[in-house]
Amino acid sequence: MDFKKIQQIFLVAFILIDMFLFVMYQQNSNIQSDNTQTSNETVLKEMRRVKINFDNPSNKTSNGYYLSAVKNTNLAKQVNKLNNQQIKTSKYEIHSTLNQPISINPNDPSESIDQLLKRNNFILDGTSYKYNQDLSSKSQIVYTQKSYGLDFFGSKIIFNVKDNQVTSYVQNNLIDVKVLKEKAPTISAEKAITLLYQYNGIQDDSSILWSRLTYTKSLKIQNSGVYIPTWLIALKKDNQVEYKKINAFDGSVVNTEVVDDNYQS
Amino acid sequence: MLKKIRGKILPLLLAIVIGISLVLSAFILINPSNYSNANNQNESTELRNENSDTKIHDLYAPTQVIQNWSNGQQYTLTSETSNVINDFFNEIKSNSIERITAKNSLDNNDYFEFLKNPNQIMLNYESKIPFNLTDISVNKTQKSKAKKVEFNRIIVPLNNKNRYYLLNDDNKKVYELRVKSLNYDRIYQILNKNIKRQQVQINRLNNKPFVYYQKPTSMKVYAYLLKQQTQSFYTSNVFGNSNDENVKRRQNRTIYSNQNQILTFNDNDIRYNDYRVDDKDSNYEQELKSAYYGAINIGVPIDNSVFYGYDKKNDTVNFRNLIESYPIFSQKRIGTYTYHSTKSSKNYQFSDENFQVPIPSNKNNVKLPNTNEVLSEIAKVGINIRDVSDIKIGYQTKFNKKNNLLVSLVPTWFINYQNNWYNYNQLLSLNNGGDSNGF
């Protein structure tokens, strides 16, 4: 056997070895990526597998407060100074029909409405509210009341729109907003969504339209509410939209609890 | 010429494939996933705890922050909207320690003067803790030195960005920590936020450093909704799903036990004695670690708890809930957790009730007298100040008469007398046959 043949045999052998090593290396990389994949990512993968549609949620955490607030029940008196509209008030709400419909830009409805809110004889406490695109639709432009960097889900102005014109609105308002406790960390959107799925709160074959951090009422105690940062998650299945709420402090499902109607502190 | 090249192709190819195989082998061997399983044994990071997000360093955290101005005045700093202690501590500990130097132990006077140096911020713990239980970043070269450090105060001078100090009241040791550069901008930002300042002075009480509040102070009243945990939550954490434990019921008490574990529910009080001690606490650090891991495994609610002192006499580790940096005291021991270990057992005590959600309180602020007035009033009723080891502002739970899950937190003074905590009014009536049960 001459040297040349030995070299040829070695060449073939090492080519086979290289192929084997390459496959092993690939396998190893896959194991490694599986190990570093967080449990959240595993759940998200599972969700996609059962055909739940969603954009990748953020894994950023943040901070929030426990807040208390009281529903404004003094609306009847406060609307006296508003003009150019016909107003009816109930205990917690203002129902207003505009004398003259106001045109808005359908592609950017907040543009015109933001200006209107600055006029203090048009809408009560208008500058406390900001445009909420998630809750808005073609026929309803929704503004929610601002709060400590977020907003109150349940305190809003709903502008009714017909033919690109605002014809009327409904408003409620929270007052006496107080911080109950120092700020604490909130979970990420990714964590909230994976938890909701694990609670069987998201059906197969549905879509997550959006998720948003907002203050919702967790407790009603006498005439005050305790509000907590909440992940509001909009789900759509078969053309039906549903909102689910996850407590952004501890990841539990939020159901408003009525504690004690006769509570005297 | 061509023949020469052809002759060289084969060896060249061979060299290439051998080279490739060496490279691939190297990649496979140094791939970290081969070592990841070994690392998972490390208890301090990988312990599965579904019961809590609190890390060990969150539990062993400072409980007070004092700022010394340049004119020598001292102030405690608190805030209703943010945990000022955490804000400072997070800022400080992000700087990696480049060098630790143990200074000579100071004499008593010099040590006290150090605590009163102008232009510094001090973070205080209730008792000393080992450096290992913090998450202060340390350069590799200093890690072995750091392991030996125990401290109960952190002093950050505001005129030298490169260093800060750890102090130990027990042996008056001072450790100098060198860092690259503390971020004073951030520190001043925190100082200028919405912070409440109360003027204090650090003097001696029974020859120990002690915080005297100089003026009467007005304090907010808080309120909470309590949550009561079920017995089955604890029995399943302690005994698992085996269901072979013994159950005895006697009046208000329910006792679950097996050969080496006893779980006793007595009204709202829960005690767990664990005799499966295969790793007894060999030193202080081990004891503090066991207190933490025990709480996690049993499901003691520690998300808002903080280390609140080591009682040498009874060898117990104590934890309390804080509100606005002040400790909460409760006759029913809500929010209080203690750990005590012996040669043969690990023992835990806590409440089945916990502070769940803060609720609005309509009560007016309460005005508290200054420390000197507290000292003179308790002396008047015959309390020997030598038996007083601490006096603190804290919050007393007061239950709503109609709904016992609603509780007010009322600020008052608390005095540690003969190793028990009493609230001010309680102590004043103690010698008149008042309630002698401490907290």
Side-chain angles (χ1 to χ4, degrees):
Chain A
M1 222 192 227
D2 64 323
F3 193 48
K4 204 173 179 186
K5 242 201 173 152
I6 296 176
Q7 286 184 313
Q8 282 173 337
I9 294 172
F10 266 84
L11 186 63
V12 172
F14 267 97
I15 288 175
L16 291 172
I17 289 176
D18 284 347
M19 282 164 55
F20 171 68
L21 286 177
F22 190 65
V23 168
M24 266 199 72
Y25 174 64
Q26 286 283 68
Q27 267 189 357
N28 237 346
S29 306
N30 284 339
I31 295 174
Q32 193 190 7
S33 72
D34 278 346
N35 273 345
T36 56
Q37 199 171 57
T38 62
S39 58
N40 283 352
E41 284 164 7
T42 318
V43 176
L44 292 176
K45 258 193 179 172
E46 165 74 14
M47 286 166 65
R48 289 205 193 276
R49 203 180 60 79
V50 297
K51 297 218 173 59
I52 298 174
N53 268 324
F54 56 94
D55 292 334
N56 275 333
S58 159
N59 61 0
K60 266 205 306 197
T61 57
S62 176
N63 285 308
Y65 298 95
Y66 282 99
L67 298 176
S68 73
V70 172
K71 286 186 182 171
N72 187 347
T73 49
N74 215 9
L75 301 169
K77 289 202 191 123
Q78 291 171 340
V79 298
N80 282 333
K81 57 180 181 176
L82 304 181
N83 45 26
N84 285 327
Q85 48 198 287
Q86 304 303 314
I87 294 182
K88 275 192 232 162
T89 57
S90 64
K91 191 173 184 195
Y92 298 127
E93 285 181 336
I94 295 172
H95 291 253
S96 168
T97 312
L98 303 187
N99 290 349
Q100 286 218 293
I102 294 173
S103 294
I104 55 157
N105 176 352
N107 297 326
D108 188 3
S110 63
E111 192 190 345
S112 348
I113 301 185
D114 282 350
Q115 294 306 313
L116 292 173
L117 290 177
K118 289 185 187 157
R119 288 156 44 181
N120 62 3
N121 53 4
F122 179 62
I123 291 217
L124 184 69
D125 208 16
T127 49
S128 302
Y129 294 77
K130 70 177 179 186
Y131 178 50
N132 189 320
Q133 188 174 29
D134 291 329
L135 297 179
S136 299
S137 64
K138 259 205 176 128
S139 57
Q140 290 193 328
I141 304 297
V142 178
Y143 274 61
T144 38
Q145 188 171 352
K146 295 186 273 197
S147 168
Y148 288 93
L150 302 175
D151 58 2
F152 285 109
F153 170 59
S155 182
K156 18 179 160 7
I157 309 174
I158 303 176
F159 294 97
N160 296 308
V161 173
K162 200 175 174 187
D163 298 328
N164 294 327
Q165 293 189 316
V166 172
T167 54
S168 62
Y169 67 86
V170 178
Q171 176 182 11
N172 57 5
N173 184 252
L174 286 172
I175 53 175
D176 257 355
V177 179
K178 297 198 188 115
V179 170
L180 290 172
K181 194 182 167 184
E182 65 205 22
K183 68 168 138 66
T186 54
I187 61 177
S188 65
E190 182 186 81
K191 183 89 197 159
I193 287 172
T194 53
L195 283 171
L196 182 61
Y197 176 72
Q198 289 168 318
Y199 300 147
N200 290 324
I202 311 181
Q203 294 177 9
D204 296 357
D205 264 311
S206 58
S207 304
I208 301 179
L209 299 176
W210 45 261
S211 62
R212 170 193 187 94
L213 195 58
T214 182
Y215 279 97
T216 68
K217 193 189 302 193
S218 133
L219 212 71
K220 178 171 183 289
I221 187 151
Q222 222 179 18
N223 61 348
S224 278
V226 174
Y227 295 80
I228 53 169
T230 309
W231 278 107
L232 192 65
I233 301 168
L235 303 176
K236 184 173 178 187
K237 179 159 180 156
D238 300 329
N239 271 330
Q240 271 214 324
V241 176
E242 197 185 20
Y243 295 143
K244 297 281 173 115
K245 300 186 223 162
I246 296 281
N247 181 328
F249 284 139
D250 65 14
S252 59
V253 174
V254 178
N255 293 310
T256 307
E257 189 185 334
V258 177
V259 173
D260 194 326
D261 277 329
N262 291 321
Y263 169 61
Q264 305 282 329
S265 74
Chain B
M1 160 93 167
L2 214 60
K3 216 177 183 182
K4 243 193 182 168
I5 296 174
R6 273 175 79 193
K8 292 230 158 84
I9 287 180
L10 189 54
L12 191 63
L13 279 176
L14 192 55
I16 291 172
V17 291
I18 293 178
I20 291 175
S21 74
L22 287 175
V23 166
L24 283 176
S25 305
F27 275 150
I28 292 171
L29 282 174
I30 65 175
N31 191 315
S33 76
N34 283 339
Y35 302 107
S36 65
N37 280 332
N39 284 336
N40 285 340
Q41 305 296 335
N42 191 336
E43 62 175 349
S44 66
T45 47
E46 289 306 319
L47 195 78
R48 288 218 63 215
N49 55 23
E50 291 157 345
N51 289 329
S52 172
D53 284 327
T54 304
K55 307 270 192 316
I56 194 167
H57 57 256
D58 291 327
L59 196 61
Y60 292 102
T63 52
Q64 184 179 54
V65 54
I66 293 181
Q67 179 188 10
N68 294 357
W69 285 7
S70 35
N71 63 2
Q73 283 177 354
Q74 303 184 280
Y75 293 86
T76 57
L77 307 178
T78 56
S79 164
E80 288 177 22
T81 51
S82 155
N83 187 328
V84 181
I85 299 173
N86 278 356
D87 291 344
F88 277 120
F89 200 22
N90 287 339
E91 187 47 47
I92 294 163
K93 63 185 173 182
S94 59
N95 297 283
S96 190
I97 311 284
E98 295 177 346
R99 197 168 149 84
I100 303 181
T101 317
K103 304 264 189 196
N104 288 331
S105 291
L106 296 177
D107 77 23
N108 227 7
N109 285 330
D110 289 343
Y111 191 81
F112 271 93
E113 286 316 301
F114 201 153
L115 304 183
K116 295 165 77 160
N117 273 346
N119 229 356
Q120 68 187 22
I121 293 183
M122 178 162 57
L123 297 171
N124 296 326
Y125 292 75
E126 288 304 305
S127 295
K128 66 177 186 202
I129 60 155
F131 189 95
N132 268 353
L133 297 188
T134 68
D135 61 341
I136 300 175
S137 29
V138 178
N139 280 2
K140 280 188 197 168
T141 58
Q142 302 298 300
K143 280 203 172 164
S144 56
K145 268 198 225 169
K147 272 190 195 170
K148 300 187 194 150
V149 175
E150 285 183 345
F151 66 99
N152 66 309
R153 295 182 198 275
I154 303 174
I155 289 187
V156 182
L158 292 177
N159 51 17
N160 189 330
K161 289 188 183 185
N162 306 112
R163 62 185 95 149
Y164 66 96
Y165 301 89
L166 302 180
L167 280 77
N168 185 329
D169 282 4
D170 284 352
N171 54 18
K172 306 286 188 296
K173 268 209 160 107
V174 176
Y175 300 89
E176 181 183 86
L177 307 176
R178 292 265 172 103
V179 295
K180 198 166 193 172
S181 173
L182 291 169
N183 188 339
Y184 279 177
D185 286 340
R186 261 300 285 154
I187 290 179
Y188 280 113
Q189 231 176 32
I190 298 169
L191 285 173
N192 293 328
K193 259 196 316 193
N194 206 1
I195 288 201
K196 182 175 170 194
R197 289 181 159 78
Q198 288 164 308
Q199 191 170 13
V200 297
Q201 205 176 67
I202 297 189
N203 277 324
R204 291 165 211 245
L205 180 72
N206 295 326
N207 214 25
K208 293 215 170 102
F210 178 69
V211 177
Y212 282 79
Y213 281 75
Q214 305 286 81
K215 302 189 175 132
T217 171
S218 172
M219 306 263 303
K220 184 175 163 181
V221 174
Y222 286 92
Y224 261 88
L225 173 68
L226 299 178
K227 175 184 171 187
Q228 188 176 24
Q229 187 56 274
T230 59
Q231 285 191 0
S232 59
F233 173 77
Y234 293 112
T235 56
S236 70
N237 286 336
V238 165
F239 298 105
N241 293 320
S242 52
N243 272 335
D244 60 356
E245 60 268 11
N246 214 321
V247 185
K248 261 192 278 195
R249 282 175 228 274
R250 207 172 290 168
Q251 284 177 315
N252 285 333
R253 252 198 267 191
T254 310
I255 307 175
Y256 297 80
S257 60
N258 64 20
Q259 282 175 325
N260 41 29
Q261 296 167 274
I262 305 177
L263 183 62
T264 309
F265 295 88
N266 188 354
D267 275 335
N268 300 108
D269 180 71
I270 305 180
R271 278 168 216 247
Y272 171 47
N273 312 97
D274 186 353
Y275 295 91
R276 305 168 299 169
V277 181
D278 31 44
D279 55 339
K280 73 173 176 76
D281 300 327
S282 48
N283 58 26
Y284 185 52
E285 180 174 328
Q286 205 43 55
E287 197 169 342
L288 299 186
K289 279 186 173 163
S290 295
Y292 168 73
Y293 290 116
I296 297 287
N297 288 331
I298 300 166
V300 179
I302 54 169
D303 284 344
N304 291 307
S305 292
V306 140
F307 173 52
Y308 212 75
Y310 169 66
D311 177 352
K312 228 185 211 170
K313 187 167 171 221
N314 297 318
D315 193 14
T316 38
V317 186
N318 296 300
F319 303 87
R320 282 190 190 276
N321 269 20
L322 299 188
I323 186 127
E324 210 189 307
S325 315
Y326 298 103
I328 301 177
F329 292 84
S330 154
Q331 210 73 49
K332 284 165 82 177
R333 297 174 145 252
I334 300 175
T336 306
Y337 159 52
T338 62
Y339 170 73
H340 167 65
S341 71
T342 67
K343 260 191 288 193
S344 54
S345 66
K346 292 187 175 178
N347 308 287
Y348 310 82
Q349 181 186 24
F350 50 100
S351 169
D352 69 349
E353 285 178 324
N354 187 37
F355 300 101
Q356 192 193 15
V357 179
I359 55 182
S361 163
N362 301 327
K363 295 221 165 86
N364 289 330
N365 280 9
V366 171
K367 203 152 193 204
L368 297 184
N370 66 12
T371 312
N372 276 325
E373 184 177 323
V374 174
L375 284 170
S376 73
E377 289 301 303
I378 63 177
K380 273 187 203 165
V381 299
I383 301 290
N384 187 344
I385 302 298
R386 276 213 212 99
D387 292 333
V388 171
S389 61
D390 207 351
I391 305 181
K392 278 198 155 44
I393 294 179
Y395 278 88
Q396 169 74 58
T397 54
K398 201 165 160 199
F399 289 86
N400 181 289
K401 295 194 186 96
K402 291 190 201 155
N403 184 335
N404 59 8
L405 285 182
L406 298 178
V407 70
S408 285
L409 297 179
V410 181
T412 181
W413 282 100
F414 288 87
I415 298 109
N416 190 318
Y417 172 62
Q418 295 181 335
N419 229 20
N420 281 321
W421 285 103
Y422 295 90
N423 82 30
Y424 189 30
N425 287 330
Q426 214 182 3
L427 203 60
L428 290 179
S429 56
L430 195 66
N431 288 343
N432 296 332
D435 177 9
S436 64
N437 286 323
F439 289 92

